[in-house]
Amino acid sequence: MEFIQSAGNLTFTSQAQGLDKSVNTEKIQRSTARYYKLMGDLGFPFIPYRSLDNPNGYPVRLMQAQSFQFDYYYRIHVRPSEIDVGNLTSAQTIRVEIWNAWFNNKTLKTIRGLNAPGITTNGATFPKTYYPLESSFFELVVTQDGPPDIDGRFEFDWDDPIGSTDLRVTGSRVVLIPWCMEAPMKETLEWKTEILESVDGYEQRIRLRKFPRCSLEAQYPLPYRELQLCENLIYGWHTKPFGVPLWSEAQFCGDLARGTMRVPISGAGTQLQAGQNCLIWNSNRRYVTMGIRQILADTVVLDKPLPANIPHAYLSPLMGGRAANASLTRATDGYKGQLQANWNLTRVAAWQAPVTEQFLGDDIYFEKGIIGTSATLLDSTVSSKEVKIDYEVSEPEYFYPNENAHVRRSYNFLTQGLLPLWNIRMFLYRRCGKLRPFWLPTFENNLSLKQEGQLLSTITVKDEGYRQFANKRKHIAIKFMDNHYECYTVNSISQGYGGLVNLTLDRDINKDATTVREISYLGYYRLDSDSVTIEWNTNRVANVQIPILEIKP
């Protein structure tokens, strides 16, 4: 900004903001104090001189202090100024507003698109004069014609050099995989955690990946009329993004008429999200991709009217993905084939899992699942940190710095339906891989109660080696006949009579002994792997195997 006095006026100019204002010097006091206050109001740095009446003849370079008025006025607003179309599976139209927040006329000569093939403007005429505080709208249409990666910029050319005003458009053009996948389909969620373990077994867990990565392994049976289309599609687009429907979460929604914007299905238990895409499908040749505006309790609201009638329609979440590998096999007679592909999904949603019941400051779960590798086989592996010193000339020596044994188990679930599996998904998102530990009972009767009557803070159980070998297990969960659990901490253990031991708990139970179904050990676990696979079978039956590790009793 420059300051020049001439003909009784102070003129301030700024190319950076396009300011051109005049202040009458007759309204400014000639005192030195007032002069310095004026300079302070205008900003720093500046070159002062003795009096405004007697300038030294040199321009004085000043800065104008910003105020709240400059947040809105003396500039051009373009709203939105950044547009992310996400995974583009069909043409999108975005309404853009231009607001002249100046107090004088501004003329827009043209809008120039840079690196924006397949993106056009509608409703904008040039040149256009914007009066003070006037706004207008135009439409930006992003089509599927163009390169797979969308990173375009639109410059607004005004008659005055008022600084840069531009609009950026980003996203990805995707080609849909219209064929229906067959079971089994495997979905893998993968986090990344670094674990720093001390000599005595204490762990420090560091989260390295904020959001999980997701991959799908699926196979698609192909009718013979689609074989050549599939081969050309995979050949020409295999390095570019695809639209991958999640057929495991598809729902039947009946006949949908042209122009409808409401689909009568529930989004609960699915990965449908407002602002994302979905597939409305009837067959390999009759389908449409739509955006989702809102998800209600029993209705999915589309972002625009349905362009055609879709009878016997299914609605499925639509994800963006890239083919890690794809193989196309066909019978020698040419009448059937199969596409097998591994998809690395992009823009995976970061679901916020709700906080569950707490015990000693950490999550605790009482869903039994299937403990073991099958419904009839319970297995667990016990290990400890071992330090071996062996010079190969004498007997080796062994040291065990961590006194707590590590117990590895498989925490498995076999679910049917979307909502039960959604609860498992929330459990996994709450864990963030190996990051966040949790409490879990063994779901076995580890301590046999040998007491009658009212149970207070001391209970008597059968001593089956607990006092001698398992006395470090200080936390227990008592399951009552109504199938609810209560958790306690064992403060002390004392020897009883006749092979019994007495456990002193941290509080009274205040229930009759006949109401106790079983007493289980409570373990402090974390996931033993950052990667968990969900295997989808037919009829929405899913199998999830979760390896867990007990890090302390």
Side-chain angles (χ1 to χ4, degrees):
M1 176 177 290
E2 293 185 351
F3 165 92
I4 300 176
Q5 181 179 9
S6 62
N9 289 317
L10 300 178
T11 301
F12 306 92
T13 63
S14 172
Q15 280 194 335
Q17 295 184 355
L19 298 178
D20 185 8
K21 303 191 220 177
S22 296
V23 180
N24 195 320
T25 56
E26 299 298 329
K27 297 180 181 180
I28 303 177
Q29 298 180 7
R30 298 301 195 268
S31 65
T32 304
R34 177 58 181 164
Y35 165 68
Y36 279 105
K37 185 179 186 305
L38 172 65
M39 296 297 101
D41 290 342
L42 293 175
F44 294 93
F46 62 89
I47 304 174
Y49 46 86
R50 292 189 178 184
S51 169
L52 292 179
D53 294 330
N54 299 305
N56 56 13
Y58 294 97
V60 179
R61 193 164 297 278
L62 305 172
M63 286 175 50
Q64 181 164 354
Q66 297 295 301
S67 62
F68 290 111
Q69 65 176 338
F70 294 103
D71 292 339
Y72 293 96
Y73 301 108
Y74 307 110
R75 64 179 64 213
I76 299 293
H77 292 269
V78 178
R79 299 183 296 189
S81 60
E82 293 186 2
I83 299 173
D84 184 2
V85 297
N87 294 314
L88 187 70
T89 58
S90 60
Q92 287 194 20
T93 302
I94 302 99
R95 196 168 185 238
V96 181
E97 179 185 11
I98 301 176
W99 176 36
N100 175 27
W102 288 84
F103 294 96
N104 56 339
N105 295 346
K106 297 293 178 181
T107 301
L108 178 61
K109 295 188 290 185
T110 187
I111 301 177
R112 289 190 297 267
L114 304 177
N115 191 29
I119 308 176
T120 59
T121 58
N122 291 336
T125 58
F126 310 107
K128 177 177 174 55
T129 299
Y130 286 80
Y131 296 102
L133 305 182
E134 180 188 358
S135 69
S136 69
F137 295 88
F138 71 93
E139 291 181 344
L140 195 73
V141 181
V142 188
T143 66
Q144 287 184 286
D145 299 328
D149 295 324
I150 304 173
D151 190 4
R153 187 165 59 91
F154 288 84
E155 290 185 346
F156 296 79
D157 187 10
W158 298 87
D159 57 342
D160 285 345
I162 59 173
S164 61
T165 302
D166 55 16
L167 167 64
R168 188 180 180 190
V169 183
T170 58
S172 298
R173 291 182 174 91
V174 300
V175 170
L176 184 69
I177 296 293
W179 302 286
C180 186
M181 65 179 61
E182 67 178 1
M185 185 269 288
K186 294 183 179 180
E187 175 187 357
T188 301
L189 297 171
E190 185 176 2
W191 287 264
K192 192 172 184 61
T193 310
E194 182 177 0
I195 296 181
L196 306 178
E197 185 177 2
S198 63
V199 177
D200 61 357
Y202 177 79
E203 289 184 351
Q204 181 181 359
R205 295 169 292 274
I206 303 173
R207 184 177 187 171
L208 300 182
R209 186 179 296 160
K210 185 175 183 181
F211 304 125
R213 293 179 179 176
C214 183
S215 61
L216 296 179
E217 180 181 341
Q219 51 190 6
Y220 304 82
L222 301 173
Y224 74 95
R225 290 188 178 91
E226 309 284 336
L227 290 175
Q228 195 59 51
L229 171 63
C230 180
E231 182 178 2
N232 293 336
L233 188 152
I234 296 299
Y235 177 82
W237 201 263
H238 70 282
T239 61
K240 303 175 181 64
F242 288 85
V244 183
L246 295 181
W247 290 105
S248 55
E249 299 181 6
Q251 299 182 66
F252 180 72
C253 45
D255 298 336
L256 298 181
R258 177 182 178 182
T260 186
M261 293 184 63
R262 291 177 172 264
V263 181
I265 64 170
S266 173
T270 70
Q271 298 186 64
L272 293 170
Q273 273 190 303
Q276 300 298 324
N277 296 326
C278 67
L279 172 67
I280 299 178
W281 184 90
N282 169 267
S283 65
N284 302 336
R285 300 292 181 93
R286 193 171 188 178
Y287 58 85
V288 64
T289 59
M290 302 291 291
I292 300 175
R293 175 181 296 176
Q294 189 180 8
I295 297 179
L296 305 177
D298 55 357
T299 304
V300 174
V301 183
L302 305 178
D303 63 349
K304 57 184 178 182
L306 198 65
N309 295 327
I310 307 291
H312 305 289
Y314 288 83
L315 188 144
S316 168
L318 186 62
M319 310 292 288
R322 293 183 180 270
N325 57 71
S327 61
L328 179 64
T329 59
R330 65 183 74 191
T332 55
D333 58 11
Y335 280 96
K336 59 182 178 180
Q338 178 177 277
L339 171 65
Q340 185 167 355
N342 292 339
W343 306 106
N344 292 327
L345 301 186
T346 58
R347 301 175 184 265
V348 178
W351 300 104
Q352 296 296 325
V355 179
T356 62
E357 185 178 348
Q358 300 288 295
F359 178 69
L360 300 181
D362 288 290
D363 297 347
I364 185 169
Y365 294 89
F366 298 109
E367 288 77 17
K368 184 175 182 179
I370 303 173
I371 304 298
T373 55
S374 68
T376 59
L377 180 63
L378 303 177
D379 59 343
S380 59
T381 303
V382 181
S383 63
S384 295
K385 187 178 182 63
E386 180 184 85
V387 178
K388 178 181 178 181
I389 299 177
D390 187 4
Y391 296 104
E392 299 184 358
V393 295
S394 61
E395 290 292 327
E397 295 188 13
Y398 299 91
F399 298 92
Y400 299 92
N402 183 9
E403 296 181 355
N404 294 326
H406 284 177
V407 181
R408 285 177 167 84
R409 294 188 173 190
S410 185
Y411 191 31
N412 303 333
F413 292 90
L414 187 65
T415 66
Q416 183 174 21
L418 294 176
L419 286 177
L421 183 66
W422 182 257
N423 295 331
I424 305 302
R425 191 183 297 274
M426 290 299 98
F427 168 79
L428 296 176
Y429 271 86
R430 179 68 178 166
R431 304 279 66 76
C432 299
K434 301 178 183 179
L435 179 68
R436 187 175 289 122
F438 60 99
W439 292 95
L440 188 72
T442 61
F443 303 105
E444 302 176 53
N445 190 28
N446 301 117
L447 297 173
S448 300
L449 184 65
K450 297 297 180 180
Q451 184 176 343
E452 297 179 353
Q454 188 77 0
L455 301 178
L456 299 177
S457 62
T458 300
I459 61 174
T460 302
V461 298
K462 185 178 180 180
D463 187 8
E464 298 174 308
Y466 173 74
R467 182 172 179 270
Q468 182 178 2
F469 302 110
N471 53 48
K472 292 180 182 178
R473 293 193 173 275
K474 298 292 187 180
H475 305 100
I476 60 174
I478 301 179
K479 182 179 181 181
F480 295 92
M481 290 298 179
D482 58 359
N483 291 326
H484 89 277
Y485 284 87
E486 291 186 9
C487 302
Y488 300 87
T489 299
V490 179
N491 289 334
S492 63
I493 306 171
S494 60
Q495 182 66 50
Y497 298 98
L500 304 178
V501 292
N502 300 319
L503 309 183
T504 302
L505 308 180
D506 57 339
R507 66 184 189 277
D508 293 341
I509 299 177
N510 290 326
K511 288 183 174 60
D512 192 80
T514 57
T515 63
V516 175
R517 183 183 296 272
E518 65 184 23
I519 303 177
S520 302
Y521 295 142
L522 260 183
Y524 192 61
Y525 293 86
R526 64 165 171 81
L527 299 194
D528 199 23
S529 173
D530 278 324
S531 177
V532 177
T533 298
I534 302 172
E535 182 175 330
W536 289 91
N537 299 301
T538 57
N539 200 24
R540 287 184 181 162
V541 175
N543 181 26
V544 189
Q545 296 185 2
I546 308 173
I548 59 176
L549 171 67
E550 184 185 73
I551 53 180
K552 69 177 183 180

